[in-house]
């Protein structure tokens, strides 16, 4: 039984809970993850990382083992055997989808969390929640059936669509279930497709194949003739193979399957992500059709958004609006994702004449390079933009009113850059985020912003005087949040405003 009482209890050791545990523990917060599964699942609902998720992991110095374990795919097929999306059109260190089983992703996330100091308790689950203004009491039932109560500052429910945490605090989960189901097969193939990352759309349906690098492939099969088979009816290898032959006209010859499943999804979304000292993230807050591979990405990005805000709250230096901004920022992202994935699923499953025509036009238009860029940015999660925070004073200068000039960047993703100057070796901008502080990049000749920021915020802000090579779009003064989004920006003539911006985002300066 654990001996130390954690500051934050996380319910659920999926990608969201493990990413959050790494964030909290890496910043010095005592954290325990409670997971009812006695051991990690060998099955993988998700099988890839998108560029922005990889950028966030890179900001924490964690990407190397993923690159060793995964297979980069920079040209995923459109489904007509001719066209591809070209991720090299994106400005990122990771211009590809990284194909990697979710089981491996969870293994690497757990390893990072434990190395940072998080405790993972398996075979135990949260069975009750009681809170008062100053703490939350969590009932935890262990594998032996005994129940204990622990008191923590916060509880975060990352325990999936049937979240006990969410139900315990009375947050609803409205939405609907889909009647259609897909088939999922993880198996080696006697006749692997060429290329190995393969997708084909025909009148009957769609087959996609993704190699895991060990001889096993993930097959996703959408057979319009069998989408209404009850999900409870076991899927056999013969049935899956029959669907593949019927859709493609060829046999991929899957054999010795590791996993066979009918998969039916739902669209559900919690109307709020916080109830007192209890918060929700990942599938406990939102679930949707896995079109475009967005589920894991949204969950990990929930964790990266929430982690540093909880750290600031627990330090006693967070502005009074900061923790509530988690819901304010992330809830609209999930709502938009649900709308888009629902539209995509209807588009993929319909056999109406307009839908068939639309699919043909999409595949034909997708072969036109310049038309791909906005689609790729959407898939990569580069179009995300957080709203500006509440204004600190007249005109909202500290909050970064969005308009013309540098502050039009507030809430947008910070791109990577090679930095020169400042007395240090050349380094990458993303490396500055590895200690989970704010980053202030001062490119002004005199370094006025850096000088001002160094007085009172050194424990919360990493200040760097350097020049971002080849980054004409970066402002002369950039204040970036620990999760890699612009908090405030200014030209050289506005550098004196940095102290107001720092006070607004990071709390009062130390004496």
């Amino acid at each position: 039984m654990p001996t130390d009482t954690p500051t934050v209890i996380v319910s659920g050791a999926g990608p969201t809970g493990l990413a959050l545990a790494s964030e909290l523990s890496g910043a010095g917060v005592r954290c325990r993850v409670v997971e009812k599964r006695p051991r990690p699942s060998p099955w993988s609902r998700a099988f890839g990382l998108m560029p922005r998720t990889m950028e966030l992991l890179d900001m924490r110095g964690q990407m190397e083992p993923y690159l060793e374990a995964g297979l980069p795919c920079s040209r995923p097929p459109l489904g007509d055997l001719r066209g591809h999306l070209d991720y090299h059109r994106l400005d990122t260190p990771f211009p590809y989808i990284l194909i990697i089983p979710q089981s491996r992703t969870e293994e690497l996330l757990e390893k990072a969390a434990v190395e940072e100091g998080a405790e993972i308790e398996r075979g135990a689950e949260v069975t009750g929640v009681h809170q008062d203004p100053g703490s939350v009491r969590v009932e935890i039932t262990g594998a032996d059936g005994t129940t204990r109560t622990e008191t923590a500052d916060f509880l975060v429910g990352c325990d999936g669509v049937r979240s006990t945490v969410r139900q315990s605090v009375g947050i609803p989960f409205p939405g609907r279930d889909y009647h259609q189901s897909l088939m999922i097969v993880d198996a080696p193939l006697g006749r692997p497709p060429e290329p190995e990352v393969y997708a084909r759309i025909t009148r009957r349906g769609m087959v996609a194949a993704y190699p895991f690098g060990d001889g096993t492939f993930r097959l996703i099969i959408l057979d319009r003739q069998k989408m209404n088979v009850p999900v409870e009816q076991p899927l056999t290898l013969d049935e899956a193979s029959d669907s593949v032959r019927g859709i493609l006209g060829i046999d991929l010859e899957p054999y010795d399957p590791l996993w066979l499943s009918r998969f039916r999804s739902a669209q559900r979304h919690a109307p709020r992500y916080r109830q007192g000292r209890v918060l929700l993230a990942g599938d406990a807050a939102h679930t949707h059709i896995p079109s475009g591979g967005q589920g894991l990405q949204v969950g990990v990005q929930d964790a990266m958004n929430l982690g540093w805000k909880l750290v600031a709250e627990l330090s006693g230096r967070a502005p009074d609006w900061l923790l509530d901004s988690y819901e304010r920022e992330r809830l609209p992202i999930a709502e938009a994702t649900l709308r888009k994935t629902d539209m995509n699923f209807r588009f993929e499953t319909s056999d109406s004449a307009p839908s068939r025509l639309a699919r043909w036009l999409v595949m034909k238009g997708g072969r036109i390079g310049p038309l791909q860029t906005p689609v790729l940015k959407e898939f990569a999660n580069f179009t995300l933009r957080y709203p500006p925070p509440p204004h600190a004073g007249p005109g909202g200068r500290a909050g970064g009113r969005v308009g013309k000039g540098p502050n039009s960047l507030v809430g947008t993703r910070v791109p990577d850059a090679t930095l020169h100057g400042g007395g240090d070796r050349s380094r990458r901008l993303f490396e500055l985020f590895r200690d989970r502080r704010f980053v202030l990049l001062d490119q002004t000749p005199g370094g006025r912003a850096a000088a001002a920021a160094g007085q009172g915020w050194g424990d919360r802000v990493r200040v760097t005087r350097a020049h971002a090579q080849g980054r004409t779009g970066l402002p002369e003064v950039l204040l970036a949040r620990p999760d890699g989004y612009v908090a405030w920006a200014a030209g050289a003539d506005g550098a004196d405003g940095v102290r107001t911006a720092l006070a607004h985002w990071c709390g009062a300066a130390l004496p």
Side-chain angles (χ1 to χ4, degrees):
M1 179 180 294
T3 55
D4 295 329
T5 300
T7 304
V8 177
I9 296 175
V10 176
S11 178
T16 305
L18 294 170
L20 179 61
S22 179
E23 283 296 285
L24 295 172
S25 299
V29 171
R30 286 180 297 141
C31 175
R32 178 176 300 133
V33 181
V34 178
E35 169 56 56
K36 66 180 179 181
R37 295 176 298 176
R39 61 189 61 85
S41 172
W43 315 126
S44 297
R45 178 180 177 183
F47 56 90
L49 298 178
M50 292 295 180
R52 185 53 178 170
T53 305
M54 290 187 278
E55 288 186 347
L56 293 171
L57 292 169
D58 186 35
M59 289 178 186
R60 302 300 184 249
Q62 297 176 5
M63 262 309 295
E64 185 174 344
Y66 293 89
L67 296 176
E68 293 174 353
L71 174 68
C73 175
S74 60
R75 289 169 55 83
L78 288 170
D80 62 353
L81 299 184
R82 290 182 289 177
H84 298 80
L85 293 173
D86 185 0
Y87 273 77
H88 286 295
R89 291 181 171 275
L90 296 178
D91 177 14
T92 175
F94 309 101
Y96 46 78
I97 301 169
L98 187 69
I99 300 173
I100 180 172
Q102 181 173 323
S103 56
R104 182 64 172 140
T105 296
E106 289 183 6
E107 179 184 335
L108 294 173
L109 287 170
E110 180 168 341
K111 183 175 185 292
V114 171
E115 288 177 350
E116 296 284 9
E119 179 183 349
I120 314 295
E121 182 183 0
R122 293 191 175 273
E125 61 180 311
V126 173
T127 51
V129 180
H130 310 277
Q131 58 178 321
D132 54 46
S135 63
V136 56
R137 298 185 306 283
V138 184
E139 294 179 4
I140 300 174
T141 301
D144 59 359
T146 61
T147 298
R148 69 181 191 273
T149 299
E150 292 193 357
T151 301
D153 289 298
F154 289 96
L155 167 67
V156 185
C158 304
D159 48 346
V161 294
R162 298 178 179 85
S163 171
T164 299
V165 172
R166 186 188 63 240
Q167 296 175 43
S168 295
V169 296
I171 297 178
F173 203 43
R176 63 185 180 84
D177 297 322
Y178 289 93
H179 297 297
Q180 304 98 325
S181 63
L182 308 179
M183 304 177 199
I184 295 176
V185 178
D186 286 354
L189 302 178
R191 295 178 60 189
E194 180 62 40
E196 286 192 318
V197 179
Y198 173 91
R200 178 80 190 281
I201 299 172
T202 68
R203 174 71 182 271
R204 179 165 167 175
M206 180 272 294
V207 174
Y210 298 92
F212 284 153
D214 60 356
T216 303
F217 284 74
R218 161 66 53 86
L219 293 181
I220 301 173
I221 307 164
L222 187 160
D223 186 346
R224 295 192 182 91
Q225 295 183 9
K226 298 182 179 181
M227 285 191 302
N228 292 318
V229 175
V231 72
E232 296 80 14
Q233 180 174 318
L235 176 64
T236 67
L237 185 61
D238 286 342
E239 181 185 358
S241 297
D242 178 69
S243 289
V244 171
R245 288 191 297 268
I247 294 167
L248 300 180
I250 60 174
D251 194 347
L252 300 180
E253 298 181 4
Y255 63 94
D256 295 341
L258 304 177
W259 188 34
L260 293 161
S261 176
R262 294 188 205 277
F263 177 78
R264 184 170 63 197
S265 190
Q267 296 276 101
R268 297 189 179 278
H269 190 212
R272 59 186 184 276
Y273 290 2
R274 183 183 181 188
Q275 186 73 32
R277 291 184 169 268
V278 177
L279 299 108
L280 304 177
D283 285 353
H286 43 73
T287 186
H288 53 80
I289 283 287
S291 298
Q294 295 301 312
L296 185 148
Q297 325 303 320
V298 176
V300 170
Q301 291 170 35
D302 281 352
M304 298 293 283
N305 184 291
L306 176 59
W308 67 273
K309 295 174 181 178
L310 274 175
V311 171
E313 181 73 17
L314 290 165
S315 75
R317 295 175 185 164
D320 57 9
W321 54 268
L322 185 63
L323 188 55
D324 284 333
S325 74
Y326 164 65
E327 176 185 304
R328 180 171 174 258
E329 292 181 347
R330 295 303 299 171
L331 191 150
I333 300 300
E335 289 178 336
T337 302
L338 263 68
R339 288 194 299 270
K340 293 168 186 174
T341 54
D342 180 65
M343 181 176 65
N344 288 342
F345 188 70
R346 293 174 185 273
F347 173 76
E348 292 165 355
T349 57
S350 174
D351 193 36
S352 68
S355 294
R356 294 198 304 271
L357 175 61
R359 283 194 291 269
W360 180 81
L361 291 171
V362 167
M363 287 188 287
K364 187 175 181 63
R367 296 199 294 270
I368 302 173
L371 298 181
Q372 291 189 6
T373 303
V375 175
L376 290 166
K377 287 182 177 180
E378 185 78 27
F379 284 160
N381 307 134
F382 287 177
T383 58
L384 183 157
R385 181 175 199 148
Y386 292 135
H391 294 157
R397 289 183 296 274
R401 177 190 290 175
V402 175
K404 295 181 178 180
N407 266 325
S408 64
L409 299 173
V410 168
T412 62
R413 153 189 171 263
V414 174
D416 199 12
T418 299
L419 303 179
H420 295 283
D424 295 328
R425 63 177 176 84
S426 297
R427 60 209 187 280
R428 296 169 51 223
L429 177 56
F430 279 2
E431 293 176 2
L432 304 183
F433 291 90
R434 292 187 176 172
D435 61 5
R436 297 174 172 84
R437 288 184 290 172
F438 278 78
V439 170
L440 179 69
L441 176 63
D442 187 347
Q443 300 187 83
T444 63
R448 286 188 300 160
Q455 302 171 17
W457 286 281
D459 60 327
R460 285 155 279 175
V461 183
R462 180 165 184 170
V463 179
T464 298
R465 288 187 59 190
H467 174 68
Q469 182 180 20
R471 284 290 179 191
T472 57
L474 281 182
E476 291 176 282
V477 184
L478 171 70
L479 178 65
R481 303 163 14 156
D483 58 350
Y485 289 88
V486 178
W488 176 84
D493 58 349
D496 290 340
V498 68
R499 291 185 66 84
T500 303
L502 287 169
H504 185 67
W505 277 98
C506 306
L510 293 176

